[in-house]
Structures are given as C-alpha cells and as structure tokens.
C-alpha cells in the first residue's frame, strides 16, 4: 500500500481528522452506483465531499484502493444484514447469505465486475475470506468431511456470485429496452425461442414457457438448493460405499 500523502498543512490535517475513511467510502459507493467505475474520480469525490484532495489521500492512496474498500464495505453490509427470521439450519443460513449477496449485486451494478477482478487478484484481502467464511461455516455445519469443505464452499460461492451477476446483467438488459418491462422482455425472448428450428433446438423450445414464467429469485435459490443437495448427498454416510 502506498504511504498516505500529508501536505503538512494544519488546515488539511483538520479536514483529514473530520473526514473519516468510512465517509469517503460511502461517497465512493454512491458515485459508483450513479456513475459507474469511470465516474469515480478523485476530482468528483472532492467536490462531493467539499474537501481537498489531500484530505482524501490521507485515508486512501489511489483509486484501486478506493474500489477495493467500496467493494469490501458493500459485501460486509450484505453479509451482516439480519434476515427477518434468524436461520435455524445450515441450509437456511446459506440461503440467507446467498440472498444478501444477490441483493447487493443487483443493487450495485459495479459490484459483480469488481468481485470478478478483486477476488483472484488479491485473495488475501478481506472480501474473499469474508465470503468464504460466511458460506464455509455452514458447509462445515452440514456435516461435510473436512476434505470436502473447500470444494463444496467454492462450488456455492462460484454459483452465488456468477448467477447473481448474470441475473443483474439480465435485468439491466431488460431495462435498456425503452418502454419494456421485465415481463414484456421475457415474453419476447420466450416467443423467439419457441420460433427456433425444432430439429436444432428441441430443448430450448421445450423450456421457452418456463423462461417466460420464471421468478428470478426463486430460480436463483433453487440453484443454491441443488448444490446443497448435491453436497449433502455426495457426503452422506455410506454415499461412497459400493453395492
């Protein structure tokens, strides 16, 4: 991490004290939500916070660090948001974690791309361990043997982040069709699928109606349940025994 830049000015020092890192990150998230990654600049950030660049650099060294901090803040909030009813089983807890991340990725269009970049680039930063810890504790609580903890947790994490990101992208694509709501968009796609060549696309034609009628959140959670069912069935006592 680059050292913080301090101008030595008493006024700047007072601004740095008054302007917390948390407030900077909060403003960065707001900018990312409204203007995207390209709209997040230190110039715009200083204008929004009514401060000087030195006060911001006191807390964050560069844009990369700021993006990482914004990502960590949103993920932390998503994972700590209390569900309406406390989960009673590991399966319910995994679903609660999945829904928290699903909602965050849907609400913050920049989050999925940042997770895709940051998790492999710097897996020791808090965002990766935080997500794996939230899911992995529940995989362990399912009674899965330790040798399968990482594989089972990775399967769930990859599905949750990938499916949530794809769903968010689909939602943005639907909204991009001016004057078209989600139902109209799905109906148009479903109609196009039904019109495909039956010899070349028998499966796609068969599921076209399911595409038209599906609920995104229910479909997402069904995928979580499928993976959980596979993990528990694969590692149930006697599952690997020969007949």
């Amino acid at each position: 991490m680059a050292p913080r830049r301090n101008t030595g000015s008493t006024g700047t020092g007072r601004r740095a004290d008054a302007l917390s890192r948390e407030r900077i990150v909060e403003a960065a998230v707001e900018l990312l939500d409204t203007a995207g990654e390209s709209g997040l600049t230190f110039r715009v950030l200083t204008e929004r916070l009514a401060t000087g660049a030195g006060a911001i650099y006191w807390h964050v060294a560069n844009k990369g660090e700021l993006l990482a901090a914004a990502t960590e803040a949103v993920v932390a909030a998503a994972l700590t948001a209390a569900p309406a009813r406390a989960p009673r089983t590991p399966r319910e807890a995994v679903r609660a974690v999945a829904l928290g991340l699903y909602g965050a990725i849907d609400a913050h269009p920049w989050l999925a791309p940042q997770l895709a970049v940051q998790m492999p680039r710097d897996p020791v930063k808090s965002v990766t361990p935080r997500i794996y810890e939230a899911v992995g504790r529940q995989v362990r609580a399912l009674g899965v043997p330790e040798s399968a903890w990482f594989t089972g947790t990775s399967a769930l994490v990859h599905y949750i982040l990938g499916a949530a990101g794809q769903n968010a992208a689909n939602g943005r694509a639907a909204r991009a069709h001016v004057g078209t709501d989600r139902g109209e968009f799905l109906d148009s796609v479903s109609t196009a699928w039904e019109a495909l060549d039956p010899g070349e696309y028998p499966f796609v034609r068969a599921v076209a109606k399911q595409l038209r009628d599906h609920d995104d959140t229910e479909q997402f959670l069904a995928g979580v349940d499928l993976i959980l069912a596979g993990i528990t069935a694969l590692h149930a006592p006697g599952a690997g025994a020969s007949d």
Side-chain angles (χ1 to χ4, degrees):
M1 180 185 296
R4 305 294 181 225
R5 294 194 289 183
N6 189 345
T7 65
S9 162
T10 302
T12 301
R14 283 198 298 268
R15 285 197 300 272
D17 291 338
L19 183 65
S20 68
R21 179 181 172 89
E22 290 72 21
R23 177 62 191 120
I24 293 170
V25 172
E26 179 184 330
V29 170
E30 293 169 357
L31 277 173
L32 286 165
D33 288 346
T34 56
E37 182 180 342
S38 63
L40 176 62
T41 67
F42 276 67
R43 179 184 62 79
V44 175
L45 196 57
T46 57
E47 292 174 357
R48 173 163 294 208
L49 293 170
T51 188
I56 295 177
Y57 279 117
W58 181 271
H59 294 283
V60 289
N62 50 52
K63 183 174 178 177
E65 183 182 332
L66 187 56
L67 284 167
T71 301
E72 291 170 10
V74 171
V75 168
L79 294 178
T80 56
R85 179 178 62 83
R88 293 178 297 179
T89 67
R91 174 179 173 274
E92 289 176 336
V94 169
R95 285 167 62 94
V97 169
L99 277 175
L101 291 170
Y102 178 90
I105 289 172
D106 185 57
H108 305 281
W110 53 272
L111 182 59
Q114 281 303 310
L115 287 170
V117 169
Q118 292 183 30
M119 290 183 71
R121 176 184 293 170
D122 200 347
V124 301
K125 287 290 181 64
S126 67
V127 66
T128 303
R130 191 185 294 271
I131 292 172
Y132 268 78
E133 184 69 24
V135 177
R137 285 187 185 185
Q138 306 310 322
V139 171
R140 181 177 62 184
L142 286 168
V144 174
E146 185 174 355
S147 60
W149 286 356
F150 178 70
T151 301
T153 301
S154 294
L156 280 164
V157 169
H158 292 161
Y159 169 77
I160 290 168
L161 299 183
Q166 185 61 60
N167 182 76
N170 291 344
R172 291 192 295 275
R175 290 190 291 271
H177 288 68
V178 179
T180 303
D181 63 17
R182 177 184 178 278
E184 292 172 335
F185 178 75
L186 290 179
D187 184 68
S188 66
V189 175
S190 178
T191 299
W193 281 18
E194 290 172 335
L196 291 171
D197 185 300
E200 190 172 1
Y201 298 100
F203 172 81
V204 173
R205 283 170 51 90
V207 298
K209 186 178 186 302
Q210 295 176 34
L211 167 69
R212 178 186 287 115
D213 299 335
H214 85 280
D215 178 272
D216 292 333
T217 305
E218 289 180 1
Q219 183 189 49
F220 171 74
L221 288 175
V224 173
D225 289 341
L226 283 171
I227 296 174
L228 285 171
I231 291 172
T232 53
L234 185 64
H235 298 291
S242 59
D243 294 334

